[in-house]
Every structure is written in structure tokens, then in C-alpha cells.
Amino acid sequence: MDSHGELPEFEIDYSLVWLHYYSRMSSRAFKHASRPISVLSSIIYSDKGCIVLQKPPGLTCQLSKSKEATGDSLNHFNALLKGLGRTFGKQPVPVHRLDKGTTGALVLGRSSTHARNLSQQFQTRTVEKTYLALVRGGVQTFPTKCGEIRTPIHYKDGRASIDHSSNGKPSITEWEVVSSSPSAPLTLLRLKLHTGHKHQLRVHLAFCLGGVSHFHPLCQRQAYR
């Protein structure tokens, strides 16, 4: 926070990496992956206006308003915020969400006012979000080392699909090859969203990147393949 009481602009690195073995985890193993995380060890950064946490996979970033939260993941998130409240003197307020299977930086406001300020930065895209994604396909299956996907996405009954008609929402994803496995058909990509539609990265990777013969779905349990 600067001398004028305004929150600073900052860049956030997210990670969408979910290795393939997670999709084969038993329900018992997945429950173990969703166990409560240490409050202090999860803090990446904090100041007078915000707290940034390292979110693990398996944690639902949603507060339960009922007295009895349904599901371990909701209980864990409620407990995490309460633990932060004890540490910082006041329970922080969620600013945005990350998907349950996503790991990465999760921003919380130190008060409702700070949370609204930060939320506005997310809405106006002042916050620059960078994702890392492990996808299927070796480096030779990519047309270039980097590029931009500008394919519209349409939503029907909660499911996203590619739609070049007027019904599609303009969607832009910037991508860059970071590294590729020498022994397995796997590639690590750096991604930036210039529009933030639901499941945009998953759909663009699964149906747009690579041309007709090679697409690159995320290495995780998803419907878009």
C-alpha cells in the first residue's frame, strides 16, 4: 500500500499444472490431497492491504455460508480463512477464485474495502495473470514456439465450445512453449489470458492449438479433450 492508501498493481503467476497421475488417484488419495494446509507456510506475500497464498490442488475457493459446510474442501477453506484471521487479527476476504484442481497464487483482501479494490483490479485486468500448463504433445507438434489464439467460445448448458458465428464470445489466449520432455509427449506452456471466459484455457488448448492433426489438452481430468 502506498502513501495515498491505494493498493499497488502487481503481477500474479498461476499454475494450471495437474500431472496425469492425479487423474488416476483413488477417492481416498484425493481426500488426502485436499487436507488442511498450514496457514503460515501457505503465505507468499502480505502487506496492510492484502494476503497472497499458495493454493494447493484439491482446495475449493468458496466460503460456505451454512453452519455445516458440505465437503472437506469447503471445510478446509473456511478453516484456512479463520486461521488467517487469528494470525492477522481479522479474517481476510476472498478476492477471486481458482479452480479446485488449480494450484497458484490466491489473493485475499485484509478488509472488505481492500477486497473490493483488488476485485476491481481483476475486473479491469490491471492484474496480469500468467499460467503454466502441462499439455499432451511433444514440442514438434506445435506450429511455432509461441503465438496467440483468437477463437470465439460459445456456452450452452454450462459447457463451452468453439463457435465462429456471432454467438461466440471473442476469446484471446497468448501462449509460449517453456519446455518439453525428451522422453514423453508432454510440453510445458506459459499462458496469458487477454479475455477471462470460463474454461477458456482448457477449450483453446484442447481444440485450437496445434492445427487439425495435433491438439494439446491439459494433462488433467477434464471434459475438454
mmCIF file of all heavy atoms in Angstrom, residues 122-166:
data_model
loop_
_atom_site.group_PDB
_atom_site.id
_atom_site.type_symbol
_atom_site.label_atom_id
_atom_site.label_comp_id
_atom_site.label_asym_id
_atom_site.label_seq_id
_atom_site.Cartn_x
_atom_site.Cartn_y
_atom_site.Cartn_z
ATOM 1 N N PHE A 122 -8.857 -6.850 -10.803
ATOM 2 C CA PHE A 122 -9.034 -8.079 -11.572
ATOM 3 C C PHE A 122 -10.023 -7.851 -12.718
ATOM 4 O O PHE A 122 -9.808 -8.299 -13.844
ATOM 5 C CB PHE A 122 -9.539 -9.211 -10.668
ATOM 6 C CG PHE A 122 -8.446 -9.958 -9.962
ATOM 7 C CD1 PHE A 122 -7.920 -9.485 -8.765
ATOM 8 C CD2 PHE A 122 -7.938 -11.136 -10.483
ATOM 9 C CE1 PHE A 122 -6.907 -10.173 -8.101
ATOM 10 C CE2 PHE A 122 -6.927 -11.829 -9.828
ATOM 11 C CZ PHE A 122 -6.420 -11.343 -8.637
ATOM 12 N N GLN A 123 -11.114 -7.147 -12.428
ATOM 13 C CA GLN A 123 -12.145 -6.918 -13.439
ATOM 14 C C GLN A 123 -11.651 -6.037 -14.579
ATOM 15 O O GLN A 123 -12.024 -6.236 -15.741
ATOM 16 C CB GLN A 123 -13.385 -6.303 -12.781
ATOM 17 C CG GLN A 123 -14.105 -7.254 -11.837
ATOM 18 C CD GLN A 123 -15.225 -6.573 -11.069
ATOM 19 O OE1 GLN A 123 -15.564 -5.405 -11.324
ATOM 20 N NE2 GLN A 123 -15.822 -7.283 -10.111
ATOM 21 N N THR A 124 -10.825 -5.052 -14.257
ATOM 22 C CA THR A 124 -10.302 -4.147 -15.280
ATOM 23 C C THR A 124 -9.004 -4.663 -15.899
ATOM 24 O O THR A 124 -8.396 -4.006 -16.718
ATOM 25 C CB THR A 124 -10.056 -2.752 -14.687
ATOM 26 O OG1 THR A 124 -9.134 -2.859 -13.582
ATOM 27 C CG2 THR A 124 -11.347 -2.130 -14.204
ATOM 28 N N ARG A 125 -8.574 -5.868 -15.457
ATOM 29 C CA ARG A 125 -7.377 -6.531 -15.976
ATOM 30 C C ARG A 125 -6.099 -5.728 -15.715
ATOM 31 O O ARG A 125 -5.143 -5.762 -16.487
ATOM 32 C CB ARG A 125 -7.519 -6.858 -17.468
ATOM 33 C CG ARG A 125 -8.774 -7.646 -17.742
ATOM 34 C CD ARG A 125 -8.674 -8.498 -18.975
ATOM 35 N NE ARG A 125 -9.906 -9.251 -19.155
ATOM 36 C CZ ARG A 125 -10.231 -10.357 -18.488
ATOM 37 N NH1 ARG A 125 -9.380 -10.842 -17.615
ATOM 38 N NH2 ARG A 125 -11.375 -10.964 -18.690
ATOM 39 N N THR A 126 -6.116 -4.943 -14.619
ATOM 40 C CA THR A 126 -4.884 -4.307 -14.160
ATOM 41 C C THR A 126 -3.919 -5.365 -13.659
ATOM 42 O O THR A 126 -2.705 -5.253 -13.797
ATOM 43 C CB THR A 126 -5.192 -3.301 -13.036
ATOM 44 O OG1 THR A 126 -6.154 -2.363 -13.507
ATOM 45 C CG2 THR A 126 -3.937 -2.561 -12.618
ATOM 46 N N VAL A 127 -4.483 -6.415 -13.059
ATOM 47 C CA VAL A 127 -3.690 -7.555 -12.606
ATOM 48 C C VAL A 127 -3.364 -8.431 -13.811
ATOM 49 O O VAL A 127 -4.253 -8.837 -14.554
ATOM 50 C CB VAL A 127 -4.463 -8.381 -11.559
ATOM 51 C CG1 VAL A 127 -3.660 -9.610 -11.160
ATOM 52 C CG2 VAL A 127 -4.779 -7.526 -10.340
ATOM 53 N N GLU A 128 -2.105 -8.704 -14.003
ATOM 54 C CA GLU A 128 -1.674 -9.564 -15.109
ATOM 55 C C GLU A 128 -1.495 -10.986 -14.604
ATOM 56 O O GLU A 128 -0.704 -11.243 -13.694
ATOM 57 C CB GLU A 128 -0.356 -9.052 -15.699
ATOM 58 C CG GLU A 128 0.110 -9.857 -16.911
ATOM 59 C CD GLU A 128 1.338 -9.260 -17.544
ATOM 60 O OE1 GLU A 128 1.592 -8.053 -17.330
ATOM 61 O OE2 GLU A 128 2.038 -9.985 -18.248
ATOM 62 N N LYS A 129 -2.255 -11.908 -15.174
ATOM 63 C CA LYS A 129 -2.247 -13.297 -14.719
ATOM 64 C C LYS A 129 -1.484 -14.179 -15.711
ATOM 65 O O LYS A 129 -1.753 -14.156 -16.906
ATOM 66 C CB LYS A 129 -3.672 -13.805 -14.554
ATOM 67 C CG LYS A 129 -4.463 -13.062 -13.492
ATOM 68 C CD LYS A 129 -5.850 -13.624 -13.314
ATOM 69 C CE LYS A 129 -6.753 -13.296 -14.467
ATOM 70 N NZ LYS A 129 -8.148 -13.738 -14.215
ATOM 71 N N THR A 130 -0.546 -14.955 -15.189
ATOM 72 C CA THR A 130 0.233 -15.878 -16.008
ATOM 73 C C THR A 130 0.024 -17.295 -15.491
ATOM 74 O O THR A 130 0.097 -17.546 -14.284
ATOM 75 C CB THR A 130 1.740 -15.543 -15.937
ATOM 76 O OG1 THR A 130 1.937 -14.196 -16.379
ATOM 77 C CG2 THR A 130 2.537 -16.493 -16.821
ATOM 78 N N TYR A 131 -0.253 -18.212 -16.395
ATOM 79 C CA TYR A 131 -0.490 -19.610 -16.037
ATOM 80 C C TYR A 131 0.603 -20.492 -16.632
ATOM 81 O O TYR A 131 1.155 -20.184 -17.691
ATOM 82 C CB TYR A 131 -1.830 -20.098 -16.596
ATOM 83 C CG TYR A 131 -3.048 -19.424 -16.031
ATOM 84 C CD1 TYR A 131 -3.451 -18.161 -16.484
ATOM 85 C CD2 TYR A 131 -3.829 -20.043 -15.063
ATOM 86 C CE1 TYR A 131 -4.580 -17.545 -15.979
ATOM 87 C CE2 TYR A 131 -4.961 -19.428 -14.552
ATOM 88 C CZ TYR A 131 -5.337 -18.181 -15.013
ATOM 89 O OH TYR A 131 -6.447 -17.566 -14.515
ATOM 90 N N LEU A 132 0.875 -21.591 -15.948
ATOM 91 C CA LEU A 132 1.707 -22.651 -16.502
ATOM 92 C C LEU A 132 0.823 -23.875 -16.677
ATOM 93 O O LEU A 132 0.079 -24.239 -15.771
ATOM 94 C CB LEU A 132 2.879 -22.980 -15.570
ATOM 95 C CG LEU A 132 3.940 -21.893 -15.397
ATOM 96 C CD1 LEU A 132 4.969 -22.335 -14.369
ATOM 97 C CD2 LEU A 132 4.615 -21.582 -16.724
ATOM 98 N N ALA A 133 0.903 -24.501 -17.841
ATOM 99 C CA ALA A 133 0.054 -25.657 -18.128
ATOM 100 C C ALA A 133 0.875 -26.777 -18.742
ATOM 101 O O ALA A 133 1.641 -26.552 -19.687
ATOM 102 C CB ALA A 133 -1.081 -25.260 -19.071
ATOM 103 N N LEU A 134 0.725 -27.966 -18.211
ATOM 104 C CA LEU A 134 1.354 -29.154 -18.770
ATOM 105 C C LEU A 134 0.349 -29.794 -19.718
ATOM 106 O O LEU A 134 -0.757 -30.159 -19.306
ATOM 107 C CB LEU A 134 1.726 -30.137 -17.655
ATOM 108 C CG LEU A 134 2.563 -31.351 -18.077
ATOM 109 C CD1 LEU A 134 3.939 -30.906 -18.554
ATOM 110 C CD2 LEU A 134 2.697 -32.325 -16.911
ATOM 111 N N VAL A 135 0.715 -29.895 -20.992
ATOM 112 C CA VAL A 135 -0.218 -30.388 -22.004
ATOM 113 C C VAL A 135 0.332 -31.616 -22.713
ATOM 114 O O VAL A 135 1.542 -31.870 -22.717
ATOM 115 C CB VAL A 135 -0.534 -29.295 -23.054
ATOM 116 C CG1 VAL A 135 -1.161 -28.078 -22.396
ATOM 117 C CG2 VAL A 135 0.732 -28.887 -23.810
ATOM 118 N N ARG A 136 -0.555 -32.364 -23.324
ATOM 119 C CA ARG A 136 -0.156 -33.527 -24.095
ATOM 120 C C ARG A 136 0.362 -33.091 -25.461
ATOM 121 O O ARG A 136 -0.209 -32.222 -26.110
ATOM 122 C CB ARG A 136 -1.342 -34.476 -24.269
ATOM 123 C CG ARG A 136 -1.797 -35.117 -22.973
ATOM 124 C CD ARG A 136 -2.904 -36.144 -23.225
ATOM 125 N NE ARG A 136 -3.295 -36.804 -21.993
ATOM 126 C CZ ARG A 136 -4.223 -36.346 -21.161
ATOM 127 N NH1 ARG A 136 -4.845 -35.225 -21.449
ATOM 128 N NH2 ARG A 136 -4.524 -37.004 -20.060
ATOM 129 N N GLY A 137 1.446 -33.710 -25.894
ATOM 130 C CA GLY A 137 2.031 -33.387 -27.188
ATOM 131 C C GLY A 137 3.461 -32.900 -27.050
ATOM 132 O O GLY A 137 3.745 -32.051 -26.200
ATOM 133 N N GLY A 138 4.360 -33.455 -27.849
ATOM 134 C CA GLY A 138 5.744 -33.019 -27.830
ATOM 135 C C GLY A 138 5.932 -31.692 -28.533
ATOM 136 O O GLY A 138 5.028 -31.195 -29.210
ATOM 137 N N VAL A 139 7.117 -31.107 -28.386
ATOM 138 C CA VAL A 139 7.376 -29.786 -28.946
ATOM 139 C C VAL A 139 7.241 -29.771 -30.464
ATOM 140 O O VAL A 139 6.892 -28.751 -31.067
ATOM 141 C CB VAL A 139 8.774 -29.288 -28.510
ATOM 142 C CG1 VAL A 139 9.874 -30.134 -29.143
ATOM 143 C CG2 VAL A 139 8.946 -27.815 -28.825
ATOM 144 N N GLN A 140 7.485 -30.917 -31.120
ATOM 145 C CA GLN A 140 7.409 -30.987 -32.573
ATOM 146 C C GLN A 140 5.979 -30.855 -33.092
ATOM 147 O O GLN A 140 5.763 -30.610 -34.287
ATOM 148 C CB GLN A 140 8.029 -32.301 -33.088
ATOM 149 C CG GLN A 140 7.225 -33.559 -32.798
ATOM 150 C CD GLN A 140 7.431 -34.076 -31.383
ATOM 151 O OE1 GLN A 140 8.177 -33.491 -30.598
ATOM 152 N NE2 GLN A 140 6.803 -35.198 -31.056
ATOM 153 N N THR A 141 4.983 -31.003 -32.216
ATOM 154 C CA THR A 141 3.586 -30.895 -32.648
ATOM 155 C C THR A 141 3.061 -29.462 -32.621
ATOM 156 O O THR A 141 1.916 -29.216 -33.004
ATOM 157 C CB THR A 141 2.679 -31.771 -31.761
ATOM 158 O OG1 THR A 141 2.732 -31.293 -30.404
ATOM 159 C CG2 THR A 141 3.130 -33.232 -31.795
ATOM 160 N N PHE A 142 3.887 -28.526 -32.156
ATOM 161 C CA PHE A 142 3.469 -27.129 -32.121
ATOM 162 C C PHE A 142 3.898 -26.425 -33.405
ATOM 163 O O PHE A 142 5.026 -26.613 -33.876
ATOM 164 C CB PHE A 142 4.079 -26.423 -30.906
ATOM 165 C CG PHE A 142 3.481 -26.851 -29.605
ATOM 166 C CD1 PHE A 142 3.930 -28.005 -28.960
ATOM 167 C CD2 PHE A 142 2.459 -26.128 -29.024
ATOM 168 C CE1 PHE A 142 3.377 -28.416 -27.772
ATOM 169 C CE2 PHE A 142 1.892 -26.531 -27.824
ATOM 170 C CZ PHE A 142 2.347 -27.682 -27.199
ATOM 171 N N PRO A 143 3.036 -25.594 -33.969
ATOM 172 C CA PRO A 143 3.375 -24.910 -35.221
ATOM 173 C C PRO A 143 4.540 -23.938 -35.083
ATOM 174 O O PRO A 143 5.333 -23.759 -36.003
ATOM 175 C CB PRO A 143 2.079 -24.173 -35.588
ATOM 176 C CG PRO A 143 1.354 -24.003 -34.283
ATOM 177 C CD PRO A 143 1.699 -25.229 -33.484
ATOM 178 N N THR A 144 4.642 -23.283 -33.924
ATOM 179 C CA THR A 144 5.727 -22.337 -33.624
ATOM 180 C C THR A 144 6.039 -22.439 -32.129
ATOM 181 O O THR A 144 5.439 -23.229 -31.412
ATOM 182 C CB THR A 144 5.328 -20.884 -33.954
ATOM 183 O OG1 THR A 144 4.167 -20.535 -33.186
ATOM 184 C CG2 THR A 144 5.024 -20.722 -35.447
ATOM 185 N N LYS A 145 6.977 -21.626 -31.662
ATOM 186 C CA LYS A 145 7.342 -21.618 -30.249
ATOM 187 C C LYS A 145 6.397 -20.753 -29.403
ATOM 188 O O LYS A 145 6.380 -20.867 -28.177
ATOM 189 C CB LYS A 145 8.771 -21.107 -30.071
ATOM 190 C CG LYS A 145 9.829 -22.016 -30.694
ATOM 191 C CD LYS A 145 9.917 -23.347 -29.978
ATOM 192 C CE LYS A 145 11.041 -24.200 -30.537
ATOM 193 N NZ LYS A 145 11.114 -25.529 -29.853
ATOM 194 N N CYS A 146 5.650 -19.884 -30.057
ATOM 195 C CA CYS A 146 4.716 -19.027 -29.343
ATOM 196 C C CYS A 146 3.651 -18.531 -30.307
ATOM 197 O O CYS A 146 3.790 -18.661 -31.519
ATOM 198 C CB CYS A 146 5.430 -17.842 -28.683
ATOM 199 S SG CYS A 146 6.302 -16.774 -29.856
ATOM 200 N N GLY A 147 2.600 -17.978 -29.758
ATOM 201 C CA GLY A 147 1.542 -17.481 -30.617
ATOM 202 C C GLY A 147 0.354 -16.983 -29.818
ATOM 203 O O GLY A 147 0.421 -16.812 -28.596
ATOM 204 N N GLU A 148 -0.741 -16.772 -30.519
ATOM 205 C CA GLU A 148 -1.949 -16.234 -29.916
ATOM 206 C C GLU A 148 -3.155 -16.933 -30.520
ATOM 207 O O GLU A 148 -3.233 -17.119 -31.741
ATOM 208 C CB GLU A 148 -2.026 -14.723 -30.153
ATOM 209 C CG GLU A 148 -3.008 -13.996 -29.270
ATOM 210 C CD GLU A 148 -2.897 -12.482 -29.438
ATOM 211 O OE1 GLU A 148 -3.404 -11.976 -30.457
ATOM 212 O OE2 GLU A 148 -2.308 -11.810 -28.562
ATOM 213 N N ILE A 149 -4.078 -17.344 -29.683
ATOM 214 C CA ILE A 149 -5.316 -17.982 -30.134
ATOM 215 C C ILE A 149 -6.438 -16.962 -30.016
ATOM 216 O O ILE A 149 -6.657 -16.384 -28.949
ATOM 217 C CB ILE A 149 -5.642 -19.222 -29.282
ATOM 218 C CG1 ILE A 149 -4.498 -20.222 -29.337
ATOM 219 C CG2 ILE A 149 -6.935 -19.889 -29.759
ATOM 220 C CD1 ILE A 149 -4.639 -21.371 -28.354
ATOM 221 N N ARG A 150 -7.151 -16.744 -31.109
ATOM 222 C CA ARG A 150 -8.252 -15.777 -31.129
ATOM 223 C C ARG A 150 -9.540 -16.446 -31.612
ATOM 224 O O ARG A 150 -10.182 -15.976 -32.547
ATOM 225 C CB ARG A 150 -7.902 -14.591 -32.044
ATOM 226 C CG ARG A 150 -6.802 -13.688 -31.498
ATOM 227 C CD ARG A 150 -6.465 -12.579 -32.460
ATOM 228 N NE ARG A 150 -5.641 -11.557 -31.842
ATOM 229 C CZ ARG A 150 -6.114 -10.451 -31.254
ATOM 230 N NH1 ARG A 150 -7.423 -10.247 -31.220
ATOM 231 N NH2 ARG A 150 -5.304 -9.573 -30.704
ATOM 232 N N THR A 151 -9.895 -17.522 -30.982
ATOM 233 C CA THR A 151 -11.070 -18.287 -31.401
ATOM 234 C C THR A 151 -12.228 -18.037 -30.439
ATOM 235 O O THR A 151 -12.085 -18.219 -29.226
ATOM 236 C CB THR A 151 -10.746 -19.795 -31.422
ATOM 237 O OG1 THR A 151 -9.601 -20.002 -32.246
ATOM 238 C CG2 THR A 151 -11.926 -20.581 -31.972
ATOM 239 N N PRO A 152 -13.398 -17.623 -30.961
ATOM 240 C CA PRO A 152 -14.555 -17.352 -30.097
ATOM 241 C C PRO A 152 -15.061 -18.619 -29.410
ATOM 242 O O PRO A 152 -14.920 -19.735 -29.916
ATOM 243 C CB PRO A 152 -15.605 -16.811 -31.072
ATOM 244 C CG PRO A 152 -14.832 -16.359 -32.269
ATOM 245 C CD PRO A 152 -13.667 -17.294 -32.376
ATOM 246 N N ILE A 153 -15.642 -18.423 -28.230
ATOM 247 C CA ILE A 153 -16.176 -19.528 -27.438
ATOM 248 C C ILE A 153 -17.655 -19.273 -27.148
ATOM 249 O O ILE A 153 -18.052 -18.157 -26.815
ATOM 250 C CB ILE A 153 -15.403 -19.685 -26.116
ATOM 251 C CG1 ILE A 153 -13.940 -20.037 -26.397
ATOM 252 C CG2 ILE A 153 -16.033 -20.770 -25.242
ATOM 253 C CD1 ILE A 153 -13.080 -20.107 -25.144
ATOM 254 N N HIS A 154 -18.442 -20.340 -27.291
ATOM 255 C CA HIS A 154 -19.877 -20.258 -27.019
ATOM 256 C C HIS A 154 -20.211 -21.164 -25.839
ATOM 257 O O HIS A 154 -19.604 -22.222 -25.664
ATOM 258 C CB HIS A 154 -20.675 -20.699 -28.256
ATOM 259 C CG HIS A 154 -22.160 -20.705 -28.027
ATOM 260 N ND1 HIS A 154 -22.873 -19.568 -27.768
ATOM 261 C CD2 HIS A 154 -23.057 -21.737 -28.013
ATOM 262 C CE1 HIS A 154 -24.151 -19.878 -27.609
ATOM 263 N NE2 HIS A 154 -24.289 -21.183 -27.752
ATOM 264 N N TYR A 155 -21.177 -20.732 -25.023
ATOM 265 C CA TYR A 155 -21.563 -21.500 -23.849
ATOM 266 C C TYR A 155 -23.035 -21.901 -23.940
ATOM 267 O O TYR A 155 -23.903 -21.081 -24.241
ATOM 268 C CB TYR A 155 -21.342 -20.677 -22.569
ATOM 269 C CG TYR A 155 -19.895 -20.332 -22.342
ATOM 270 C CD1 TYR A 155 -19.344 -19.173 -22.892
ATOM 271 C CD2 TYR A 155 -19.070 -21.172 -21.605
ATOM 272 C CE1 TYR A 155 -18.013 -18.856 -22.698
ATOM 273 C CE2 TYR A 155 -17.737 -20.864 -21.411
ATOM 274 C CZ TYR A 155 -17.218 -19.715 -21.960
ATOM 275 O OH TYR A 155 -15.890 -19.399 -21.785
ATOM 276 N N LYS A 156 -23.277 -23.175 -23.704
ATOM 277 C CA LYS A 156 -24.635 -23.701 -23.706
ATOM 278 C C LYS A 156 -24.748 -24.761 -22.622
ATOM 279 O O LYS A 156 -23.964 -25.705 -22.592
ATOM 280 C CB LYS A 156 -24.985 -24.307 -25.070
ATOM 281 C CG LYS A 156 -26.431 -24.787 -25.158
ATOM 282 C CD LYS A 156 -26.762 -25.311 -26.537
ATOM 283 C CE LYS A 156 -28.214 -25.762 -26.613
ATOM 284 N NZ LYS A 156 -28.551 -26.287 -27.963
ATOM 285 N N ASP A 157 -25.708 -24.575 -21.733
ATOM 286 C CA ASP A 157 -25.934 -25.501 -20.625
ATOM 287 C C ASP A 157 -24.671 -25.700 -19.788
ATOM 288 O O ASP A 157 -24.366 -26.810 -19.332
ATOM 289 C CB ASP A 157 -26.439 -26.855 -21.138
ATOM 290 C CG ASP A 157 -27.775 -26.736 -21.868
ATOM 291 O OD1 ASP A 157 -28.567 -25.868 -21.469
ATOM 292 O OD2 ASP A 157 -28.000 -27.504 -22.817
ATOM 293 N N GLY A 158 -23.902 -24.630 -19.629
ATOM 294 C CA GLY A 158 -22.712 -24.678 -18.799
ATOM 295 C C GLY A 158 -21.476 -25.247 -19.464
ATOM 296 O O GLY A 158 -20.409 -25.299 -18.855
ATOM 297 N N ARG A 159 -21.588 -25.671 -20.715
ATOM 298 C CA ARG A 159 -20.446 -26.258 -21.418
ATOM 299 C C ARG A 159 -19.965 -25.311 -22.511
ATOM 300 O O ARG A 159 -20.759 -24.716 -23.236
ATOM 301 C CB ARG A 159 -20.810 -27.612 -22.022
ATOM 302 C CG ARG A 159 -19.628 -28.293 -22.686
ATOM 303 C CD ARG A 159 -19.986 -29.677 -23.181
ATOM 304 N NE ARG A 159 -18.883 -30.272 -23.936
ATOM 305 C CZ ARG A 159 -17.861 -30.895 -23.397
ATOM 306 N NH1 ARG A 159 -17.792 -31.002 -22.086
ATOM 307 N NH2 ARG A 159 -16.902 -31.413 -24.132
ATOM 308 N N ALA A 160 -18.643 -25.196 -22.617
ATOM 309 C CA ALA A 160 -18.026 -24.310 -23.599
ATOM 310 C C ALA A 160 -17.674 -25.073 -24.870
ATOM 311 O O ALA A 160 -17.299 -26.244 -24.820
ATOM 312 C CB ALA A 160 -16.772 -23.677 -23.014
ATOM 313 N N SER A 161 -17.789 -24.382 -26.001
ATOM 314 C CA SER A 161 -17.411 -24.978 -27.281
ATOM 315 C C SER A 161 -16.942 -23.879 -28.226
ATOM 316 O O SER A 161 -17.248 -22.702 -28.048
ATOM 317 C CB SER A 161 -18.592 -25.739 -27.903
ATOM 318 O OG SER A 161 -19.681 -24.859 -28.160
ATOM 319 N N ILE A 162 -16.195 -24.280 -29.242
ATOM 320 C CA ILE A 162 -15.721 -23.335 -30.247
ATOM 321 C C ILE A 162 -16.876 -22.915 -31.134
ATOM 322 O O ILE A 162 -17.662 -23.749 -31.582
ATOM 323 C CB ILE A 162 -14.608 -23.973 -31.100
ATOM 324 C CG1 ILE A 162 -13.414 -24.335 -30.206
ATOM 325 C CG2 ILE A 162 -14.174 -23.046 -32.217
ATOM 326 C CD1 ILE A 162 -12.819 -23.163 -29.471
ATOM 327 N N ASP A 163 -17.003 -21.608 -31.402
ATOM 328 C CA ASP A 163 -18.109 -21.111 -32.218
ATOM 329 C C ASP A 163 -17.651 -19.865 -32.969
ATOM 330 O O ASP A 163 -17.422 -18.822 -32.372
ATOM 331 C CB ASP A 163 -19.305 -20.786 -31.330
ATOM 332 C CG ASP A 163 -20.572 -20.499 -32.120
ATOM 333 O OD1 ASP A 163 -20.460 -20.184 -33.326
ATOM 334 O OD2 ASP A 163 -21.666 -20.582 -31.541
ATOM 335 N N HIS A 164 -17.523 -19.986 -34.284
ATOM 336 C CA HIS A 164 -17.063 -18.858 -35.105
ATOM 337 C C HIS A 164 -18.214 -17.952 -35.547
ATOM 338 O O HIS A 164 -17.985 -16.973 -36.258
ATOM 339 C CB HIS A 164 -16.317 -19.385 -36.335
ATOM 340 C CG HIS A 164 -15.019 -20.062 -36.003
ATOM 341 N ND1 HIS A 164 -13.868 -19.362 -35.747
ATOM 342 C CD2 HIS A 164 -14.711 -21.369 -35.848
ATOM 343 C CE1 HIS A 164 -12.882 -20.204 -35.477
ATOM 344 N NE2 HIS A 164 -13.371 -21.428 -35.530
ATOM 345 N N SER A 165 -19.437 -18.282 -35.150
ATOM 346 C CA SER A 165 -20.577 -17.454 -35.524
ATOM 347 C C SER A 165 -20.669 -16.244 -34.604
ATOM 348 O O SER A 165 -19.843 -16.041 -33.714
ATOM 349 C CB SER A 165 -21.872 -18.267 -35.442
ATOM 350 O OG SER A 165 -22.218 -18.527 -34.092
ATOM 351 N N SER A 166 -21.713 -15.465 -34.795
ATOM 352 C CA SER A 166 -21.913 -14.273 -33.973
ATOM 353 C C SER A 166 -22.264 -14.620 -32.526
ATOM 354 O O SER A 166 -22.255 -13.751 -31.650
ATOM 355 C CB SER A 166 -23.026 -13.410 -34.571
ATOM 356 O OG SER A 166 -24.240 -14.144 -34.669
#
